[in-house]
């Protein structure tokens, strides 16, 4: 008997639909006509044991117990899914062959592997387990995956990487949450101070941004614009480029702070001859944006529809599991396998018959085009999020589902439109010894951009709120000029502006910061690691971590902006700097990637981490927690501390 173990019931049912009929539904599994069985986990049905499972004394939080480092790690069944584990225990014993059908990512690999290990599957049977990778729940796609089974042994390094991550998060979360909670209690803060490998650096990011805003002092800075005219009466504006001699009067971002200097330039160029010193005209092409991974979809949904990351993830799960309209949503990849291009014609034809606005986009798409998105070398365990071959015509989607599906469809269809073509013109002119420059883009062919015009028009409205002259400079068209040509500077114009404080984080910018966290790191080695590991957290965890910080009362919303609360700011100020920066998670993710690629071992993460945690526990006794607000104990929160906070460390 073959036993298929899926990650969730929805995936189990999709697998069964592609296998022999008639079938019989039982509690926790489906029996097939040929005697095989499809069963499932319900997400993680095992979890890391609590500290008190290792030693009853650990139930009471005490500094003397720290660090808690299990010698033999234990998993325990989750209470709410214990019945399903019993079903799997019986089926695993009966099975001659097991097919692992966890989701196609690190956690999906571990989720089923840990059940197989927990149920003590014999070594020979374990050696023969096959891996089924499914990213599209529709019947044709599932059948294709069933015809392409691989040895589960190939994915063991991925499983070990996930196991190392799970245990490392437990060690870090349990020990440091207890250490800092106990130190906070000494200062009168009678509640839990949650510390995690990803959540704490993320909170640190928001707190430091708030501090930058609070400490920001606005300064005036000055630009000079030259209003120029050609012999043929064509007019345009060029912007002054200060020379090296002006450096003492500029800030670190190259802005002129000395008004007298700028006024002097204005007076010198009024009604003067200008000479074109450089002309650079290039015809350029811009490829369509790649299909979405989860983070890029969440960022666009936040910008366009003001939807938060958790809501977008939940909507995607519904589109994937319930409606089967999109492929696996928790993807970190924006590329597609080359063989998927063969399905494009059918998907486009299906979309062209829809009753939605994207039908026109599909009707004008050219399925023979192949964008840079089709690249096998850049496809990992999963590919980009794209529409499946299933039509939404007979489905009732809620407004959120319609919006997210529209974004995914539009991004996919953009791959079948020509490139955007434009002329890039750059002109430099010399006026009274000073250099001025002007840039302009002139569209030649809109290509894929026709799909995004509505969004573009919205962003243009925002641009109009800038000073009128700045807007002119950005959107002007340039006349045809040649090097050495003489122009007339009609007059100079002083543009006075104020430096702006950094903007508060929003859902879109906070997600963007997590995916591009390297921007917030000064160490070049760590910058490189973070670029290679795709930032802070993973596609599957980012929304949950942001949501967790709100639930813990460390973040709050004020309109669209995200602020740190007094407790969140005080926690970051009390913690050692190392715990609040993304540097550590960069090292973690680099090591985890190396483990999954057989370049590092499990011990390469756990051993040094254990030493780091011991050192951070010592440091916690030296930190000041005086800034924390005083919070009275409540029975409910005390009970929560002894269960949820110990049981489920969040990274």
């Amino acid at each position: 008997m073959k036993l298929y173990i899926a990650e969730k019931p929805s995936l189990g049912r999709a697998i069964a639909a592609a296998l022999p009929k008639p079938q019989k539904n039982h509690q926790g599994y489906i029996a097939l006509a040929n005697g095989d069985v499809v069963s499932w986990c319900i997400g993680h049905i095992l979890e890391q044991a609590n500290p008190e499972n290792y030693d009853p004394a650990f139930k009471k939080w005490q500094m003397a117990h720290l660090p808690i480092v299990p010698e033999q790690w234990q998993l325990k069944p989750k209470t709410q899914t214990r019945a399903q584990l019993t079903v799997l225990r019986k089926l695993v014993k009966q099975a001659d062959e097991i097919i692992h059908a966890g989701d196609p990512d690190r956690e999906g690999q571990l989720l089923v592997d840990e059940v197989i290990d927990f149920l003590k599957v014999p070594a020979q049977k374990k050696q023969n387990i096959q891996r089924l990778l499914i990213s599209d729940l529709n019947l044709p796609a599932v059948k294709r995956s069933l015809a392409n089974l691989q040895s589960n042994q190939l994915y063991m390094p991925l499983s070990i990487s996930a196991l190392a991550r799970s245990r490392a998060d437990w060690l870090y979360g349990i020990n440091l949450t207890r250490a800092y909670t106990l130190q906070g209690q000494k200062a009168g803060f009678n509640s839990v101070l949650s510390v995690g490998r990803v959540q704490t650096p993320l909170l640190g990011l928001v707190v430091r941004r708030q501090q930058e805003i609070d400490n920001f002092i606005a300064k005036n800075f000055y630009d000079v614009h030259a209003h120029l005219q050609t012999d043929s009466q064509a007019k345009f504006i060029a912007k002054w480029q200060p020379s090296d001699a002006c450096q003492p009067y500029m800030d670190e971002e190259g802005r002129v702070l000395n008004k007298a200097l700028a006024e002097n330039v204005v007076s010198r160029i009024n009604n003067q001859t200008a000479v074109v010193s450089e002309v650079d005209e290039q015809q350029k092409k811009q490829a369509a944006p790649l299909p979405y991974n989860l983070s890029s979809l969440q960022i666009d949904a936040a910008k366009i529809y003001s939807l938060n990351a958790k809501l977008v993830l939940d909507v995607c799960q519904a589109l994937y599991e319930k409606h089967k309209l999109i492929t696996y949503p928790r993807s970190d990849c924006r590329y597609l396998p080359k063989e998927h291009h063969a399905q494009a014609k059918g998907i486009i034809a299906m979309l062209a018959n829809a009753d939605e606005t994207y039908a026109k986009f599909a009707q004008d798409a050219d399925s023979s085009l192949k964008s840079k998105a089709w690249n096998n070398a850049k496809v990992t365990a999963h590919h980009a999020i794209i529409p499946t071959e299933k039509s939404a015509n007979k489905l009732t989607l809620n407004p959120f589902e319609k919006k997210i599906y529209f974004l995914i469809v539009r991004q996919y269809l953009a791959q079948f439109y020509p490139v955007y073509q434009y002329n890039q013109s750059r002109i430099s002119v010399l006026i009274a010894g000073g250099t001025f420059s002007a840039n302009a883009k002139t569209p030649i062919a809109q290509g894929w951009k026709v799909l995004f015009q509505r969004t573009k028009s919205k962003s243009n409205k925002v641009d109009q709120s800038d000073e009128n002259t700045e807007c002119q400079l950005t959107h002007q068209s340039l006349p045809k000029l040649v090097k050495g040509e003489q122009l007339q500077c009609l007059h100079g114009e002083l543009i006075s502006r104020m430096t702006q404080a950094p903007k508060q984080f929003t859902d879109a910018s906070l997600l963007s910061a997590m995916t591009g966290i390297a921007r917030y790191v000064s160490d070049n080695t760590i910058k490189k690691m973070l670029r290679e590991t795709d930032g802070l957290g993973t596609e599957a965890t980012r929304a949950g971590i942001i949501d967790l910080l709100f639930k813990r009362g460390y973040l709050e919303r004020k309109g669209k902006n995200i602020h740190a609360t007094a407790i969140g700011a005080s926690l970051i100020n009390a913690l050692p700097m190392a715990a609040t920066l993304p540097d550590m998670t960069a090292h973690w993710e680099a090591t985890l990637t190396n483990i999954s690629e057989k370049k590092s071992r499990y011990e390469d993460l756990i051993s040094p981490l254990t030493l780091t945690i011991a050192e951070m526990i010592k440091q916690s006794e030296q930190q000041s927690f005086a800034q924390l607000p005083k919070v009275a104990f409540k029975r409910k929160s005390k009970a929560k501390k002894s269960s949820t906070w110990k049981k489920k460390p969040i990274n």
Side-chain angles (χ1 to χ4, degrees):
M1 181 258 278
K2 282 184 186 176
L3 171 63
Y4 297 82
I5 304 178
E7 180 160 331
K8 302 183 192 80
S10 57
L11 179 57
R13 287 189 288 271
I15 293 168
L19 293 169
K21 296 175 180 59
Q23 299 172 358
K24 190 169 183 181
N25 291 320
H26 296 271
Q27 187 65 42
Y29 68 97
I30 299 168
L32 310 180
N34 62 357
D36 294 342
V37 171
V38 178
S39 189
W40 46 78
C41 300
I42 305 170
H44 279 281
I45 58 177
L46 298 169
E47 61 186 351
Q48 294 286 348
N50 297 333
E52 58 267 30
N53 295 128
Y54 294 100
D55 185 337
F58 293 159
K59 189 162 189 175
K60 183 173 174 61
W61 293 24
Q62 293 182 341
M63 289 297 291
H65 295 153
L66 305 179
I68 300 170
V69 182
E71 289 183 16
Q72 289 290 326
W73 287 86
Q74 299 174 25
L75 290 172
K76 63 174 192 174
K78 284 188 172 182
T79 305
Q80 61 270 37
T81 53
R82 189 182 290 270
Q84 187 59 23
L85 182 64
T86 303
V87 170
L88 286 170
R89 188 189 302 275
K90 179 184 173 186
L91 293 172
V92 162
K93 282 183 182 176
Q94 295 172 348
D96 302 303
E97 188 180 338
I98 297 172
I99 290 97
H100 179 315
D103 280 352
D105 58 14
R106 188 166 71 189
E107 287 305 309
Q109 185 64 40
L110 176 64
L111 190 145
V112 177
D113 280 339
E114 67 186 5
V115 171
I116 289 165
D117 287 336
F118 186 79
L119 297 177
K120 296 182 170 54
V121 172
Q124 187 56 48
K125 191 189 285 188
K126 190 188 291 189
Q127 188 73 24
N128 294 328
I129 292 173
Q130 291 184 290
R131 184 67 164 99
L132 173 60
L133 295 162
I134 293 175
S135 58
D136 177 345
L137 298 186
N138 288 290
L139 188 60
V142 175
K143 284 184 175 180
R144 285 192 292 268
S145 296
L146 283 164
N148 191 32
L149 296 178
Q150 301 172 62
S151 169
N152 194 51
Q153 292 299 309
L154 296 173
Y155 297 89
M156 279 300 107
L158 198 63
S159 194
I160 294 166
S161 169
L163 181 66
R165 196 277 314 154
S166 173
R167 290 177 178 177
D169 277 335
W170 189 97
L171 288 169
Y172 192 87
I174 290 289
N175 284 293
L176 296 185
T177 294
R178 288 189 174 207
Y180 288 104
T181 296
L182 290 167
Q183 297 306 324
Q185 286 176 3
K186 287 181 184 177
F189 181 77
N190 292 326
S191 190
V192 172
L193 288 174
S194 173
V195 180
R197 185 256 309 190
V198 176
Q199 62 162 298
T200 306
L202 180 60
L203 177 61
L205 204 64
V206 179
V207 170
R208 280 187 287 276
R209 173 63 59 86
Q210 185 65 56
Q211 290 168 344
E212 284 179 53
I213 293 168
D214 292 344
N215 297 327
F216 180 79
I217 299 172
K219 298 178 291 187
N220 284 302
F221 71 96
Y222 306 93
D223 289 331
V224 176
H225 290 175
H227 289 253
L228 299 161
Q229 182 174 284
T230 68
D231 287 344
S232 61
Q233 308 300 303
K235 295 179 181 179
F236 68 99
I237 301 169
K239 183 177 177 180
W240 175 45
Q241 305 299 308
S243 66
D244 290 342
C246 301
Q247 289 294 330
Y249 308 100
M250 297 164 70
D251 65 11
E252 63 279 359
E253 293 185 38
R255 295 175 295 207
V256 173
L257 305 179
N258 187 295
K259 186 177 183 181
L261 172 63
E263 287 176 331
N264 179 50
V265 174
V266 170
S267 65
R268 285 171 55 204
I269 67 173
N270 281 331
N271 202 29
Q272 295 294 310
T273 299
V275 179
V276 178
S277 59
E278 189 178 341
V279 176
D280 181 20
E281 287 191 0
Q282 296 181 36
Q283 190 175 121
K284 293 195 170 183
K285 296 177 180 180
Q286 185 180 344
L290 292 166
Y292 287 122
N293 60 13
L294 180 59
S295 288
S296 59
L297 174 58
Q298 288 169 319
I299 290 167
D300 273 5
K303 285 178 180 175
I304 298 166
Y305 300 125
S306 300
L307 304 182
N308 69 59
K310 180 67 167 59
L311 175 58
V312 175
L313 177 56
D314 291 343
V315 170
C316 282
Q317 284 297 129
L319 289 171
Y320 171 62
E321 291 185 15
K322 179 182 175 184
H323 301 301
K324 300 181 184 177
L325 290 176
I326 65 170
T327 58
Y328 181 70
R330 294 172 185 252
S331 174
D332 60 354
C333 177
R334 299 192 69 174
Y335 291 87
L336 297 163
K338 286 182 180 178
E339 55 269 24
H340 270 230
H341 194 270
Q343 300 161 33
K345 190 172 183 179
I347 294 173
I348 292 170
M350 175 274 294
L351 295 170
N353 288 318
D355 300 324
E356 301 290 338
T357 53
Y358 57 74
K360 181 68 170 66
F361 298 161
Q363 288 159 15
D364 294 338
D366 181 353
S367 62
S368 68
L369 295 178
K370 187 177 281 190
S371 75
K372 63 180 181 179
W374 278 271
N375 187 334
N376 288 358
K378 295 193 175 183
V379 174
T380 53
H382 25 249
H383 57 68
I385 307 167
I386 62 172
T388 65
E389 294 162 281
K390 183 178 179 181
S391 170
N393 279 356
K394 295 181 181 178
L395 300 176
T396 303
L397 302 183
N398 67 38
F400 295 132
E401 291 167 342
K402 282 188 175 185
K403 287 174 178 175
I404 298 302
Y405 186 59
F406 170 80
L407 291 181
I408 293 167
V409 165
R410 182 176 65 173
Q411 204 83 355
Y412 178 71
L413 290 174
Q415 311 311 309
F416 305 98
Y417 274 69
V419 294
Y420 167 59
Q421 297 180 61
Y422 61 95
N423 276 330
Q424 175 75 62
S425 303
R426 290 187 177 88
I427 296 170
S428 292
V429 297
L430 293 175
I431 315 171
T435 301
F436 293 74
S437 68
N439 299 324
K441 279 184 182 179
T442 308
I444 300 170
Q446 288 292 332
W448 58 267
K449 285 213 168 193
V450 297
L451 278 66
F452 296 81
Q453 283 176 338
R454 285 175 62 192
T455 306
K456 185 181 173 187
S457 67
K458 283 182 185 177
S459 64
N460 281 347
K461 286 180 185 176
V462 176
D463 293 340
Q464 297 300 329
S465 65
D466 292 340
E467 293 183 39
N468 189 49
T469 313
E470 277 297 302
C471 197
Q472 276 182 277
L473 192 67
T474 307
H475 295 100
Q476 68 180 334
S477 58
L478 296 175
K480 286 284 183 184
L481 298 170
V482 293
K483 188 174 180 179
E485 185 175 346
Q486 290 195 349
L487 313 171
Q488 183 70 19
C489 178
L490 302 175
H491 64 92
E493 181 181 12
L494 181 71
I495 307 294
S496 175
R497 289 190 285 165
M498 297 282 284
T499 55
Q500 299 290 312
K503 292 182 179 178
Q504 297 280 6
F505 281 113
T506 62
D507 283 287
S509 62
L510 191 56
L511 269 169
S512 183
M514 291 181 83
T515 57
I517 195 70
R519 297 195 302 271
Y520 301 88
V521 174
S522 54
D523 186 298
N524 285 330
T525 305
I526 294 169
K527 261 184 188 290
K528 186 172 184 290
M529 285 182 190
L530 285 165
R531 286 197 189 103
E532 289 174 353
T533 57
D534 201 28
L536 193 61
T538 66
E539 302 296 322
T541 61
R542 285 177 187 135
I545 291 164
I546 294 172
D547 194 49
L548 180 81
L549 289 170
F550 281 101
K551 287 178 179 173
R552 297 259 160 99
Y554 299 161
L555 294 180
E556 61 183 351
R557 293 183 196 278
K558 294 181 180 177
K560 287 186 178 181
N561 294 333
I562 294 173
H563 295 249
T565 63
I567 295 174
S570 298
L571 172 59
I572 292 301
N573 292 332
L575 290 170
M577 186 63 77
T580 71
L581 295 172
D583 302 31
M584 186 186 312
T585 201
H587 287 290
W588 278 38
E589 289 296 342
T591 305
L592 290 169
T593 299
N594 285 339
I595 292 170
S596 68
E597 295 173 355
K598 296 186 180 179
K599 295 175 185 173
S600 294
R601 299 172 306 143
Y602 166 90
E603 292 79 10
D604 294 336
L605 179 69
I606 300 299
S607 298
L609 176 65
T610 304
L611 296 174
T612 300
I613 289 169
E615 184 59 35
M616 291 177 78
I617 289 167
K618 284 182 188 174
Q619 289 176 3
S620 74
E621 300 184 77
Q622 313 304 319
Q623 299 292 128
S624 170
F625 289 78
Q627 292 183 15
L628 285 168
K630 305 297 181 279
V631 178
F633 259 124
K634 294 179 184 175
R635 286 189 179 275
K636 217 179 245 186
S637 61
K638 188 175 180 182
K640 190 173 187 180
K641 183 184 85 171
S642 67
S643 56
T644 306
W645 291 88
K646 290 189 291 180
K647 187 166 75 176
K648 244 188 147 183
I650 305 289
N651 62 359

